[in-house]
Amino acid sequence: MNLRLDTKILKLWPNFIDHYTFEAGISVLLEIVAKDKGDRFSQQCATHLLISDSGKLNFALPKYSSHRDEKISEVQDWIYNHSSSVITIVELAKYFNFSERNLKRRFTQATGISINRYVQEVRIDKAKKLLLSTDKTVNEISINVGYENSSFFTRLFKKNTGLTPAKWRKNE
């Protein structure tokens, strides 16, 4: 399967396709690639297609974004943009004017996972992209994505992917 994205094709797309539609399309494409060729290959595609530097890594967790709850989408965007910080449900609920119980219920209903699990998924996704696109150490990446304890990060990463971050990076 040849997944090369040709800039000539992009120029032919109608101008009415906005930035978000394009990103959503890329996210869906990457999800299909992940199912067919595996997560690592999908992450490599994302790295090659979507970034010019590691600070501009695009988000690629479409399986949790296919809902219609706009307020929860705002929460998800906030989590993505602040994932390297300490995130608490109490602060999220207060910031978005939810009760804690209602936030947890609506988030799980919309995404299918808990807020804490979603934060972990976002951080692991960002870590995968950093592992592929930078030479940063696992410890540096751990801190960049929001984990001060690199041992905890490594255990969580391995639980999520089956490999330690270092082995995942080297696994061709």
Side-chain angles (χ1 to χ4, degrees), residues 79 82-87 115-128 130 137-158 160 165:
I79 289 170
H82 297 87
S83 61
S84 61
S85 305
V86 174
I87 297 174
I115 294 170
N116 290 333
R117 180 73 185 135
Y118 183 76
V119 170
Q120 290 176 351
E121 291 276 341
V122 168
R123 289 174 173 172
I124 296 296
D125 188 69
K126 284 185 174 186
K128 287 175 182 176
L130 289 170
T137 67
V138 171
N139 190 46
E140 289 171 318
I141 290 172
S142 171
I143 291 167
N144 283 166
V145 300
Y147 294 108
E148 291 181 19
N149 183 331
S150 64
S151 295
F152 176 75
F153 166 72
T154 298
R155 282 193 309 274
L156 187 64
F157 192 96
K158 186 173 182 178
N160 191 290

Coordinates of all heavy atoms in Angstrom, one line a residue, residues 79 82-87 115-128 130 137-158 160 165:
I79 N -7.3 19.2 27.3 CA -6.4 18.1 27.8 C -5.2 17.9 26.9 O -4.1 17.9 27.3 CB -7.2 16.8 28.0 CG1 -8.2 16.8 29.1 CG2 -6.2 15.6 28.2 CD1 -9.1 15.7 29.2
H82 N -2.8 20.8 27.3 CA -2.2 20.9 28.6 C -1.8 19.6 29.2 O -1.6 19.5 30.4 CB -3.3 21.6 29.6 CG -3.6 22.9 29.2 ND1 -4.7 23.2 28.3 CD2 -3.1 24.1 29.6 CE1 -4.8 24.5 28.2 NE2 -3.9 25.1 28.9
S83 N -1.6 18.6 28.3 CA -1.3 17.3 28.8 C 0.0 17.1 29.5 O 0.2 16.2 30.3 CB -1.3 16.3 27.6 OG -0.3 16.6 26.6
S84 N 0.9 18.1 29.4 CA 2.2 18.0 30.1 C 2.1 18.5 31.5 O 3.0 18.4 32.3 CB 3.3 18.7 29.3 OG 3.0 20.0 29.2
S85 N 0.9 19.1 31.8 CA 0.7 19.6 33.2 C -0.1 18.6 34.0 O -0.6 17.6 33.5 CB -0.2 20.9 33.1 OG 0.4 21.8 32.2
V86 N -0.1 18.9 35.3 CA -1.0 18.0 36.2 C -2.4 18.3 35.8 O -2.8 19.5 35.8 CB -0.7 18.3 37.6 CG1 -1.6 17.6 38.5 CG2 0.8 18.0 38.0
I87 N -3.2 17.3 35.5 CA -4.6 17.5 35.2 C -5.4 16.8 36.2 O -5.3 15.5 36.4 CB -4.9 16.9 33.8 CG1 -4.1 17.7 32.7 CG2 -6.4 17.0 33.5 CD1 -4.2 17.2 31.3
I115 N -11.7 9.9 31.9 CA -10.8 11.0 31.7 C -9.4 10.7 32.0 O -8.5 11.0 31.2 CB -11.3 12.2 32.6 CG1 -12.6 12.7 32.1 CG2 -10.2 13.3 32.5 CD1 -13.3 13.7 33.1
N116 N -9.1 10.0 33.1 CA -7.8 9.6 33.4 C -7.1 8.7 32.3 O -6.0 8.9 31.9 CB -7.7 8.9 34.8 CG -8.0 9.9 35.9 OD1 -7.7 11.1 35.8 ND2 -8.5 9.4 37.0
R117 N -7.9 7.8 31.8 CA -7.4 6.9 30.7 C -7.1 7.7 29.5 O -6.1 7.5 28.8 CB -8.4 5.8 30.5 CG -8.0 4.8 29.4 CD -6.8 3.9 29.9 NE -6.4 3.1 28.7 CZ -5.1 2.9 28.4 NH1 -4.1 3.4 29.2 NH2 -4.8 2.2 27.4
Y118 N -8.0 8.7 29.2 CA -7.8 9.5 28.0 C -6.5 10.4 28.1 O -5.8 10.5 27.2 CB -9.0 10.5 27.8 CG -8.9 11.3 26.6 CD1 -9.2 10.8 25.3 CD2 -8.6 12.7 26.7 CE1 -9.1 11.6 24.2 CE2 -8.5 13.4 25.6 CZ -8.7 12.9 24.3 OH -8.6 13.7 23.2
V119 N -6.3 10.9 29.3 CA -5.0 11.7 29.5 C -3.8 10.8 29.3 O -2.9 11.2 28.6 CB -5.0 12.3 31.0 CG1 -3.6 12.8 31.3 CG2 -6.1 13.3 31.1
Q120 N -3.9 9.5 29.7 CA -2.8 8.6 29.5 C -2.6 8.3 28.0 O -1.5 8.3 27.5 CB -3.0 7.3 30.2 CG -2.9 7.4 31.7 CD -3.2 6.1 32.4 OE1 -3.7 5.1 31.8 NE2 -2.9 6.1 33.7
E121 N -3.8 8.1 27.3 CA -3.7 7.9 25.8 C -3.1 9.0 25.1 O -2.3 8.9 24.2 CB -5.1 7.6 25.3 CG -5.7 6.3 25.8 CD -5.3 5.1 24.9 OE1 -4.9 5.3 23.8 OE2 -5.5 4.0 25.4
V122 N -3.5 10.3 25.5 CA -2.9 11.5 24.8 C -1.4 11.5 25.1 O -0.6 11.8 24.1 CB -3.6 12.7 25.4 CG1 -2.8 14.0 25.0 CG2 -5.0 12.8 24.9
R123 N -1.0 11.3 26.3 CA 0.5 11.4 26.6 C 1.3 10.3 25.9 O 2.4 10.5 25.4 CB 0.6 11.3 28.2 CG 0.2 12.5 28.9 CD 0.2 12.4 30.4 NE -0.1 13.7 31.0 CZ -0.3 13.8 32.3 NH1 -0.2 12.7 33.1 NH2 -0.5 15.0 32.8
I124 N 0.7 9.1 25.9 CA 1.4 8.0 25.2 C 1.5 8.3 23.7 O 2.5 8.1 23.1 CB 0.7 6.6 25.4 CG1 0.8 6.2 26.9 CG2 1.3 5.5 24.5 CD1 2.1 6.0 27.5
D125 N 0.4 8.8 23.1 CA 0.4 9.2 21.7 C 1.5 10.2 21.4 O 2.3 10.1 20.4 CB -0.9 9.7 21.3 CG -1.0 9.9 19.8 OD1 -1.0 8.9 19.0 OD2 -1.1 11.1 19.3
K126 N 1.6 11.3 22.3 CA 2.6 12.3 22.1 C 4.0 11.7 22.3 O 4.9 12.0 21.5 CB 2.4 13.4 23.1 CG 1.3 14.4 22.7 CD 1.2 15.5 23.7 CE 0.2 16.6 23.3 NZ 0.3 17.7 24.2
A127 N 4.2 10.8 23.2 CA 5.5 10.2 23.4 C 5.9 9.4 22.2 O 7.1 9.4 21.8 CB 5.4 9.3 24.7
K128 N 5.0 8.6 21.6 CA 5.3 7.8 20.4 C 5.8 8.8 19.3 O 6.8 8.4 18.6 CB 4.1 7.1 19.9 CG 3.7 5.9 20.8 CD 2.4 5.3 20.2 CE 1.9 4.2 21.0 NZ 0.6 3.7 20.5
L130 N 7.2 11.7 19.7 CA 8.5 12.2 20.1 C 9.6 11.2 19.9 O 10.7 11.5 19.5 CB 8.5 12.8 21.5 CG 7.7 14.1 21.7 CD1 7.5 14.4 23.1 CD2 8.3 15.2 21.0
T137 N 16.0 11.7 25.1 CA 16.0 10.5 25.9 C 14.6 10.1 26.4 O 13.7 11.0 26.4 CB 16.9 10.7 27.1 OG1 16.3 11.6 28.0 CG2 18.3 11.1 26.8
V138 N 14.4 8.9 26.8 CA 13.1 8.5 27.4 C 12.8 9.4 28.6 O 11.6 9.8 28.7 CB 13.1 7.0 27.7 CG1 11.9 6.6 28.5 CG2 13.3 6.2 26.5
N139 N 13.8 9.7 29.4 CA 13.5 10.5 30.5 C 13.0 11.9 30.1 O 12.1 12.4 30.7 CB 14.7 10.6 31.4 CG 14.5 11.3 32.7 OD1 13.5 11.0 33.4 ND2 15.3 12.3 33.1
E140 N 13.6 12.5 29.1 CA 13.2 13.8 28.6 C 11.8 13.8 28.0 O 11.0 14.6 28.3 CB 14.2 14.3 27.5 CG 15.5 14.7 28.1 CD 16.5 15.0 26.9 OE1 16.6 14.3 25.9 OE2 17.3 16.0 27.1
I141 N 11.5 12.7 27.3 CA 10.2 12.6 26.7 C 9.2 12.4 27.8 O 8.1 12.9 27.8 CB 10.2 11.4 25.7 CG1 11.0 11.8 24.5 CG2 8.7 11.0 25.3 CD1 11.2 10.7 23.4
S142 N 9.5 11.6 28.8 CA 8.6 11.3 29.9 C 8.2 12.7 30.6 O 7.0 12.9 30.8 CB 9.3 10.5 31.0 OG 8.6 10.4 32.2
I143 N 9.1 13.5 30.8 CA 8.9 14.9 31.4 C 8.1 15.7 30.4 O 7.1 16.4 30.8 CB 10.2 15.5 31.8 CG1 10.8 14.8 33.0 CG2 10.0 17.0 32.2 CD1 12.2 15.1 33.3
N144 N 8.4 15.7 29.1 CA 7.7 16.5 28.1 C 6.3 16.1 28.0 O 5.5 17.0 27.7 CB 8.4 16.3 26.7 CG 9.6 17.1 26.5 OD1 10.4 16.8 25.6 ND2 10.0 18.0 27.4
V145 N 5.9 14.9 28.2 CA 4.5 14.5 28.1 C 3.7 14.5 29.4 O 2.6 14.2 29.4 CB 4.4 13.1 27.3 CG1 5.0 13.2 25.9 CG2 4.9 12.0 28.1
G146 N 4.4 14.8 30.5 CA 3.7 15.0 31.7 C 3.9 14.0 32.8 O 3.2 14.0 33.8
Y147 N 5.0 13.2 32.7 CA 5.3 12.3 33.7 C 6.6 12.6 34.3 O 7.7 12.5 33.7 CB 5.3 10.8 33.2 CG 4.0 10.3 32.8 CD1 3.7 10.2 31.4 CD2 3.0 10.0 33.7 CE1 2.4 9.7 31.0 CE2 1.7 9.6 33.3 CZ 1.4 9.5 31.9 OH 0.2 9.0 31.5
E148 N 6.7 13.0 35.6 CA 7.9 13.3 36.3 C 8.7 12.0 36.6 O 9.9 12.0 36.6 CB 7.7 14.1 37.5 CG 7.2 15.5 37.3 CD 6.9 16.3 38.5 OE1 7.5 15.9 39.6 OE2 6.2 17.3 38.4
N149 N 8.0 10.9 36.8 CA 8.6 9.6 37.1 C 8.8 8.8 35.9 O 7.8 8.2 35.4 CB 7.8 8.9 38.2 CG 8.4 7.6 38.7 OD1 9.1 7.0 37.9 ND2 8.1 7.3 39.9
S150 N 10.0 8.7 35.3 CA 10.2 8.0 34.1 C 10.0 6.5 34.2 O 9.6 5.8 33.2 CB 11.5 8.3 33.5 OG 12.6 7.8 34.3
S151 N 10.2 6.0 35.4 CA 9.9 4.5 35.6 C 8.4 4.2 35.5 O 8.0 3.3 34.8 CB 10.4 4.1 37.0 OG 11.7 4.2 37.1
F152 N 7.6 5.1 36.0 CA 6.1 5.0 35.9 C 5.7 5.1 34.4 O 4.9 4.3 33.9 CB 5.4 6.0 36.7 CG 3.9 6.0 36.6 CD1 3.1 4.9 37.1 CD2 3.2 6.9 35.8 CE1 1.8 4.9 37.0 CE2 1.9 6.9 35.6 CZ 1.1 5.9 36.2
F153 N 6.3 6.1 33.8 CA 6.0 6.3 32.3 C 6.4 5.1 31.5 O 5.6 4.6 30.7 CB 6.8 7.5 31.8 CG 6.8 7.6 30.3 CD1 5.7 7.9 29.6 CD2 8.0 7.3 29.6 CE1 5.7 8.0 28.2 CE2 8.1 7.4 28.3 CZ 6.9 7.7 27.5
T154 N 7.6 4.5 31.8 CA 8.0 3.3 31.1 C 7.1 2.1 31.3 O 6.7 1.4 30.4 CB 9.4 2.9 31.5 OG1 10.3 4.0 31.1 CG2 9.9 1.7 30.8
R155 N 6.6 1.9 32.6 CA 5.7 0.8 32.8 C 4.3 1.1 32.1 O 3.8 0.1 31.5 CB 5.4 0.7 34.4 CG 6.5 0.0 35.1 CD 6.1 -0.4 36.5 NE 5.6 0.7 37.3 CZ 6.2 1.6 38.0 NH1 7.6 1.5 38.1 NH2 5.6 2.5 38.7
L156 N 3.8 2.3 32.1 CA 2.6 2.6 31.5 C 2.7 2.5 30.0 O 1.8 1.9 29.3 CB 2.2 4.1 31.8 CG 0.8 4.5 31.4 CD1 -0.3 3.8 32.1 CD2 0.7 6.0 31.7
F157 N 3.8 2.9 29.4 CA 4.1 2.8 28.0 C 4.1 1.3 27.6 O 3.5 0.9 26.6 CB 5.4 3.5 27.6 CG 5.6 3.6 26.1 CD1 5.2 4.8 25.5 CD2 6.1 2.6 25.3 CE1 5.4 5.0 24.1 CE2 6.3 2.8 24.0 CZ 5.9 4.0 23.4
K158 N 4.8 0.5 28.3 CA 4.9 -0.9 28.1 C 3.5 -1.6 28.2 O 3.2 -2.5 27.4 CB 5.9 -1.6 29.0 CG 6.2 -3.0 28.6 CD 7.3 -3.7 29.4 CE 7.5 -5.1 28.9 NZ 8.6 -5.7 29.6
N160 N 0.7 -0.3 27.6 CA -0.1 0.2 26.5 C 0.4 -0.4 25.1 O -0.4 -0.7 24.3 CB 0.0 1.8 26.4 CG -1.0 2.4 25.5 OD1 -0.9 2.3 24.3 ND2 -2.0 3.0 26.1
P165 N 9.6 2.2 26.0 CA 9.8 3.2 25.0 C 11.1 3.1 24.1 O 11.0 3.3 22.9 CB 9.9 4.5 25.8 CG 9.1 4.1 27.1 CD 9.4 2.7 27.3

